[in-house]
């Protein structure tokens, strides 16, 4: 027995809606699946590193947690809008309830985490931008680090490797250049310091961690 065509079932459908159901909606299914996969990868990486990360002092690296959660919530919201506009799934079904609950949990959790992290970030900002370097011995220049003298800066750097990148170890050893005022004459000058909480979105390693990773690199 012949089945009714799409046009016979939906005589009022426009060409705009038809094209979106043929092209846009399948693309949104794929994009949503990739977004959930990326969120799962982020949660898994946090789970694997949590034992070490929970002992790290709060740093600018923690701000990286704001982006994935709210970006993922925005992606799920776009997918919900696409389903409501162009799919044949009724709004009051268990599939939509699960999707709505998932979106709500991600949105609320991401919002709370973002407000907490941003508030703590602003409180710590003066300490990070004006560190006390009066009693710190200036770290070596990049060309004078242990890795540079041992000609190991370009070692490794494969897609998967059992050690921290030598470039990251070198960056942790040499620290960062900061503009500070000399306590003697009040002049401004650039000095290197390791009294920074993070290098980009990566928490700064302490000396013991650097030594352990350097030994792993030497064994490799």
């Amino acid at each position: 027995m012949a089945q009714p065509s799409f046009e016979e079932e939906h005589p009022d459908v426009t060409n705009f809606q038809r094209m979106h159901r043929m092209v846009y909606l399948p693309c949104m299914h794929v994009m949503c699946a990739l977004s959930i996969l990326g969120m799962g990868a982020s949660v898994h990486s946090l789970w694997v590193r949590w034992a070490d990360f929970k002992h790290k002092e709060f740093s600018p690296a923690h701000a990286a947690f704001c982006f994935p959660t709210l970006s993922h919530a925005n992606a799920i919201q776009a997918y919900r809008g696409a389903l409501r506009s162009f799919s044949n799934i009724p709004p009051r079904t268990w599939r939509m309830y699960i999707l709505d609950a998932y979106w709500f949990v991600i949105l609320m959790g991401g919002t709370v985490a973002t407000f907490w992290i941003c508030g703590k970030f602003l409180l710590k900002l003066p300490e990070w931008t004006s560190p006390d370097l009066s009693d710190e011995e200036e770290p070596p220049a990049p060309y004078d680090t242990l890795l540079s003298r041992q000609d190991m800066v370009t070692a490794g750097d494969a897609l998967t490797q059992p050690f921290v990148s030598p470039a990251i170890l070198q960056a942790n050893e040499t620290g960062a250049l900061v503009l500070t005022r000399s306590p003697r004459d009040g002049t401004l000058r650039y000095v290197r310091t390791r009294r920074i909480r993070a290098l980009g979105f990566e928490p700064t390693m302490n000396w013991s961690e650097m030594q352990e990773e350097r030994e792993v690199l030497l064994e490799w």
Side-chain angles (χ1 to χ4, degrees):
M1 184 175 179
Q3 297 295 320
S5 65
F6 184 84
E7 287 79 5
E8 291 173 340
E9 287 186 324
H10 306 277
D12 58 337
V13 70
T14 64
N15 185 59
F16 175 81
Q17 292 173 318
R18 186 183 300 110
M19 291 301 298
H20 273 67
R21 288 173 179 170
M22 291 174 57
V23 179
Y24 174 72
L25 197 56
C27 290
M28 290 299 292
H29 292 324
V30 174
M31 296 299 291
C32 180
L34 293 176
S35 179
I36 294 176
L37 182 64
M39 186 66 178
S42 298
V43 172
H44 177 263
S45 63
L46 177 61
W47 176 268
V48 170
R49 299 181 62 188
W50 182 251
D52 296 327
F53 195 78
K54 66 181 180 180
H55 298 297
K56 294 287 185 180
E57 188 176 355
F58 185 83
S59 70
H62 289 73
F65 289 100
C66 298
F67 173 75
T69 49
L70 294 183
S71 177
H72 183 61
N74 190 35
I76 299 300
Q77 168 63 13
Y79 182 62
R80 291 174 65 246
L83 291 181
R84 293 180 183 275
S85 300
F86 302 108
S87 75
N88 297 322
I89 301 177
R92 297 181 179 275
T93 60
W94 64 270
R95 287 179 290 181
M96 292 301 297
Y97 285 146
I98 291 177
L99 183 64
D100 291 345
Y102 177 74
W103 167 76
F104 182 79
V105 170
I106 295 295
L107 179 63
M108 291 296 103
T111 301
V112 171
T114 298
F115 274 107
W116 179 77
I117 291 174
C118 289
K120 201 165 184 179
F121 185 95
L122 293 176
L123 289 175
K124 292 282 187 177
L125 197 57
E127 175 186 340
W128 294 337
T129 54
S130 301
D132 182 13
L133 311 180
S134 57
D135 59 343
E136 182 190 24
E137 182 179 351
E138 187 170 355
Y143 57 81
D144 201 30
T145 59
L146 290 176
L147 291 175
S148 180
R149 284 181 288 178
Q150 295 173 350
D151 197 22
M152 295 170 52
V153 177
T154 58
D157 282 348
L159 185 60
T160 57
Q161 56 193 28
F163 52 84
V164 174
S165 170
I168 294 179
L169 289 177
Q170 185 187 38
N172 275 273
E173 184 177 353
T174 194
L177 277 176
V178 297
L179 184 65
T180 184
R181 189 177 298 276
S182 174
R184 291 177 296 180
D185 53 10
T187 58
L188 293 174
R189 64 190 184 98
Y190 284 99
V191 296
R192 295 184 187 89
T193 178
R194 293 197 71 256
R195 291 184 178 176
I196 50 176
R197 297 290 179 259
L199 296 169
F201 287 123
E202 190 71 23
T204 305
M205 303 170 67
N206 57 41
W207 284 112
S208 61
E209 292 173 334
M210 290 175 56
Q211 186 62 31
E212 291 175 3
E213 293 297 337
R214 192 178 293 116
E215 291 176 358
V216 173
L217 179 59
L218 288 173
E219 292 175 359
W220 181 82

